[in-house]
Amino acid sequence: MMFSHPLARKAKFWTARSSDGSESQILAIVTTLTLDPADKHFNKALVDRLSSAAAEFLAEQHKVCDFVLINRTKDWIG
């Protein structure tokens, strides 16, 4: 099952490896939302809506332990 949401542009599962060699599945969600609370375009309600949807999705998944919200790389350069 893949994560899909109107505020998410793309989502992909990644394997995170810790220093002790253990592995965990992480859901990386790409969005165009401003994620910096200090930015004037930050919309807490929309970020919370996307985060809540991701948390609900993770509750149904047994192999995925967490999620991260990130912006598109073309949005990184101001």
Side-chain angles (χ1 to χ4, degrees):
M1 186 173 174
M2 195 57 173
F3 179 78
S4 178
H5 191 273
L7 296 172
R9 297 298 166 245
K10 192 170 186 178
K12 185 173 181 177
F13 296 101
W14 291 91
T15 301
R17 292 180 186 87
S18 67
S19 59
D20 67 0
S22 63
E23 295 182 348
S24 301
Q25 290 289 316
I26 305 292
L27 176 63
I29 302 169
V30 178
T31 183
T32 56
L33 294 175
T34 300
L35 299 174
D36 181 6
D39 191 292
K40 67 179 179 177
H41 298 291
F42 178 74
N43 187 325
K44 183 175 177 8
L46 292 179
V47 173
D48 287 347
R49 199 167 111 201
L50 180 57
S51 296
S52 294
E56 288 176 21
F57 177 80
L58 291 184
E60 300 170 3
Q61 304 298 312
H62 300 289
K63 295 183 179 182
V64 184
C65 66
D66 210 351
F67 71 93
V68 61
L69 300 178
I70 59 173
N71 290 117
R72 303 174 304 171
T73 54
K74 73 180 201 175
D75 293 338
W76 291 356
I77 301 172

